[in-house]
Amino acid sequence: MKPPKPATDPSPRDDSPAAPTREGGMRRGLTSYGDAGFSLFLRKAFIKGAGYTDDALDRPVIGITDTGSGYNPCHGNMPQLIEAVQRGILLAGGLPVKFPTISVHESFAHPTSMYLRNLMSIDTEEMLRAQPMDAVVLIGGCDKTVPAQLMGAASAGLPAISLVTGSMLTGSHRGQTVGACTDCRKFWGRYRAEEIDAAEIAEVNDQLVASVGTCSVMGTASTMACIVEALGMSVPGAASPPAVTAERMRIAELTGTEAVRLARSGAGIDQILTEKAFENAIRVLLAIGGSTNGIVHLAAIAGRVGFQLDLDALDRMGRETPVLLDLKPSGQHYMEDFHAAGGMSTLLRELKPLLHLDALTVTGRTLGEEIDRARPAFAQSTVRTLANPIYPEGGIAVLRGNLAPGGAIIKQSAADPSLMEHEGRAVVFRDAADLAERVDRDDLDVEPGDILVLQNIGPKGTPGMPEAGAFPIPRKLLRQGVKDAVRISDGRMSGTAFGTVVLHATPEAAVGGPLAYVRTGDRIRLSVSARSLQWLVDDAELARRMAEAPAIEPTAERGYRQLFLKSVTQADQGVDFDFLKAAQARGKVPRA
Ligand code: FES
């Protein structure tokens, strides 16, 4: 559409009957017609077509991301959440405007949801930049959605507040509580080992996901929910209420109310995402036995505001941060138990001596003030004390060595203690297809005690760094009663998974990392206590193998895949696109 006359005045006229009487709101980010007054006039004319009054349009405008999708049952309560957020915004005198962005679910994204996280973050960032809003409520939940939204909002810079959809309810199988997805893996492992039959596995399938909402254990979604609260990006108590509860809706209403206050304060997201906030988030990640994906996502979010995640410093923090939360896969309970135990206020109160209590939150109060305002403590058994943890160190350890010069990680709290110091013969699978083809063959050359290596599932390898790192134990070993084996890859694993699984080996095989040159029969030594991952092959042999088969990085002819393969960074950089990082570096986090 064209303006009626050429622009002469670049600012909207204050006496225009169409103009809001205050700055911000609908005046933000006017569409370029070369005449700002006309741009505002036109914008208001169009939105009035939806029945808005000037009074409504003069309020602080609060955008709400609508990530509901028929392909995303983890966001199945989106309509109710949006209604509650809108109520909160209206009660506080703001104008809610919902808008759609990409939604990504773990089980409905090929080749893996991680491939689309950065696309969702770009969508979120650009919609926040393009559309007029004074603050935004980011509603996400399923694993990649929350980090994508935080990455995008961090880059966009405006006031933002997060709301997670909440966890699903647990189900019951023959008297046993079950929930996605630690139990999905346990029962599938039993089925593969021929301990249960096809009828029973079908029965379990009906029970694992008992309602809409995110996975009910301390998987990536729950981890990110806790991290969001620890960062100060949500209202207090927002991490744990299950998706279908009244409390989740009250949190949503409160989020809307706080969003209006935040918009009026003008506090940008950079005032919340500080060095102290990231240190608090890392502390919580370690103390909850959180998902290893939390490290990748925190690295990406931090990168958007100029911080670089320091893996060695994170590991040092881990040595003085015990796991307190008794949730699967590190422990035994579910998110609804965590909520009944008081949720994050119980955990944060216990962690108080290790936190930056003066870190600002979206409520305008500090984390310490929010802990002090929370309901009083009571007797419960889901959140342990510092003196009686479920695991003496942080859930995640960082490994170094010639197999991963850029680092690798292991979720030690969910690993088999008897395998944490282990040397064995490597059995190598070239990629996921090779694994699928050979893992269950009776003639597979594998023995108990061998170390299983899967190559080419890193950021560029598949691409998208799929959650294939906790790959299946060969059926031949399962039949011999082997329940766990050291597995090493450049991929990720689901936060709901468990086992002695070394992940994120950096640099990845597809770009010529040492992992690419391991061969069946080589020996590898893992020492979690020494934080060491050693491939017992000398440098001369490595050089010979590299010269024999130099790496050819994958490329693509066109489209998003081409952008992805050209731009994606390694795991230690958050698997973000290199061009999305903050222009200005602000140092490393944590500083510990
Ligand atoms: Fe959505 Fe687990 S699949 S949170």
Side-chain angles (χ1 to χ4, degrees):
M1 184 168 297
K2 287 187 176 158
K5 60 181 181 180
T8 50
D9 178 4
S11 61
R13 285 168 34 192
D14 290 337
D15 59 350
S16 161
T21 55
R22 61 173 198 85
E23 294 302 317
M26 287 293 159
R27 288 174 182 256
R28 287 182 183 272
L30 292 171
T31 309
S32 301
Y33 290 116
D35 178 340
F38 176 71
S39 296
L40 182 60
F41 174 78
L42 204 59
R43 173 175 288 174
K44 292 195 71 179
F46 275 110
I47 200 163
K48 282 179 175 176
Y52 288 86
T53 62
D54 281 317
D55 180 31
L57 298 176
D58 204 28
R59 309 287 170 131
V61 177
I62 311 298
I64 307 169
T65 61
D66 180 354
T67 52
S69 161
Y71 290 108
N72 196 343
C74 297
H75 292 198
N77 57 346
M78 191 64 55
Q80 294 87 351
L81 285 175
I82 289 174
E83 186 185 328
V85 171
Q86 287 173 327
R87 185 167 65 244
I89 293 169
L90 291 169
L91 283 169
L95 175 67
V97 183
K98 70 167 179 166
F99 62 97
T101 74
I102 293 172
S103 189
V104 183
H105 183 277
E106 289 304 291
S107 293
F108 293 91
H110 175 79
T112 170
S113 59
M114 190 66 169
Y115 180 63
L116 298 169
R117 184 202 62 180
N118 297 349
L119 185 63
M120 183 174 175
S121 85
I122 292 174
D123 180 8
T124 304
E125 175 183 347
E126 295 307 324
M127 288 300 100
L128 300 195
R129 286 187 191 282
Q131 301 171 140
M133 61 191 84
D134 298 298
V136 63
V137 176
L138 306 161
I139 311 182
C142 196
D143 295 15
K144 304 305 177 295
T145 60
V146 173
Q149 291 181 325
L150 287 174
M151 291 158 68
S155 296
L158 78 166
I161 183 167
S162 287
L163 171 67
V164 297
T165 54
S167 59
M168 61 183 67
L169 299 180
T170 55
S172 175
H173 173 65
R174 299 185 183 179
Q176 182 186 342
T177 302
V178 292
C181 238
T182 303
D183 298 321
C184 314
R185 296 170 200 287
K186 282 203 167 131
F187 276 94
W188 190 251
R190 291 184 60 200
Y191 175 59
R192 275 176 46 77
E194 296 164 5
E195 291 173 14
I196 62 173
D197 60 16
E200 183 167 357
I201 196 71
E203 220 179 286
V204 176
N205 194 253
D206 280 345
Q207 292 298 318
L208 289 165
V209 180
S211 74
V212 297
T214 53
C215 287
S216 54
V217 298
M218 190 43 74
T220 305
S222 302
T223 298
M224 290 311 300
C226 295
I227 280 178
V228 160
E229 195 167 332
L231 282 170
M233 281 299 302
S234 71
V235 298
S240 63
V244 296
T245 58
E247 201 153 0
R248 172 57 57 198
M249 297 308 143
R250 279 193 286 274
I251 289 288
E253 182 186 301
L254 183 60
T255 300
T257 307
E258 285 297 331
V260 178
R261 194 207 55 76
L262 191 62
R264 289 193 168 119
S265 79
I269 194 169
D270 58 328
Q271 292 182 40
I272 310 295
L273 295 183
T274 60
E275 192 176 318
K276 288 180 178 177
F278 283 108
E279 290 190 1
N280 286 340
I282 293 166
R283 190 73 76 181
V284 163
L285 169 69
L286 294 163
I288 60 179
S291 165
T292 47
N293 289 318
I295 288 188
V296 179
H297 297 319
L298 272 172
I301 299 161
R304 294 299 186 96
V305 286
F307 293 115
Q308 187 191 335
L309 195 71
D310 184 336
L311 285 175
D312 295 320
L314 182 146
D315 188 73
R316 286 195 291 279
M317 266 177 100
R319 289 187 185 267
E320 57 178 42
T321 311
V323 177
L324 302 183
L325 192 51
D326 190 2
L327 251 61
K328 289 184 176 187
S330 299
Q332 54 174 329
H333 295 297
Y334 296 86
M335 276 302 278
E336 57 198 39
D337 302 311
F338 180 37
H339 184 58
M344 281 293 282
S345 65
T346 305
L347 182 88
L348 293 172
R349 191 181 289 120
E350 194 57 38
L351 280 179
K352 221 172 158 182
L354 300 174
L355 295 171
H356 296 292
L357 299 174
D358 57 343
L360 188 66
T361 79
V362 286
T363 62
R365 293 180 287 269
T366 65
L367 190 69
E369 287 170 331
E370 293 298 0
I371 296 171
D372 292 342
R373 282 166 56 96
R375 288 179 201 149
F378 54 89
Q380 50 78 39
S381 57
T382 306
V383 181
R384 300 279 192 89
T385 62
L386 285 169
N388 180 33
I390 75 154
Y391 194 79
E393 292 188 354
I396 299 169
V398 178
L399 307 170
R400 297 279 181 183
N402 63 353
L403 201 46
I409 58 169
I410 184 169
K411 189 169 185 175
Q412 53 179 344
S413 58
D416 181 341
S418 70
L419 291 172
M420 305 271 263
E421 310 294 321
H422 184 75
E423 183 184 319
R425 184 187 72 124
V427 174
V428 178
F429 298 96
R430 198 174 52 253
D431 53 28
D434 182 39
L435 175 81
E437 209 268 310
R438 294 194 295 128
V439 69
D440 284 342
R441 279 173 40 172
D442 288 338
D443 62 352
L444 181 70
D445 174 19
V446 67
E447 299 291 336
D450 284 348
I451 292 180
L452 309 175
V453 174
L454 177 55
Q455 300 164 328
N456 292 304
I457 59 164
K460 294 193 183 192
T462 295
M465 204 181 179
E467 290 184 341
F471 53 92
I473 309 284
R475 205 184 292 271
K476 193 171 165 185
L477 296 182
L478 288 175
R479 288 199 184 111
Q480 295 174 60
V482 174
K483 299 280 187 217
D484 195 6
V486 175
R487 282 158 280 176
I488 301 173
S489 76
D490 46 10
R492 298 176 301 116
M493 79 171 183
S494 163
T496 64
F498 49 89
T500 313
V501 182
V502 176
L503 303 154
H504 308 185
T506 303
E508 64 173 304
V511 301
L515 192 75
Y517 301 100
V518 181
R519 290 182 186 165
T520 294
D522 291 348
R523 294 197 72 78
I524 295 172
R525 188 183 300 140
L526 168 69
S527 171
V528 178
S529 65
R531 302 295 195 260
S532 164
L533 182 64
Q534 285 298 330
W535 176 30
L536 307 182
V537 164
D538 62 32
D539 291 349
E541 175 63 11
L542 173 59
R544 195 186 65 73
R545 292 186 192 180
M546 287 177 85
E548 198 175 274
I552 302 169
E553 288 196 25
T555 56
E557 286 292 310
R558 62 169 295 281
Y560 178 69
R561 195 179 177 99
Q562 185 187 78
L563 177 74
F564 189 97
L565 290 172
K566 269 188 182 165
S567 312
V568 76
T569 59
Q570 292 291 289
D572 59 336
Q573 303 293 310
V575 197
D576 199 3
F577 292 158
D578 51 11
F579 62 87
L580 293 174
K581 285 190 142 198
Q584 215 151 20
R586 294 168 68 190
K588 293 184 174 183
V589 286
R591 279 190 306 176

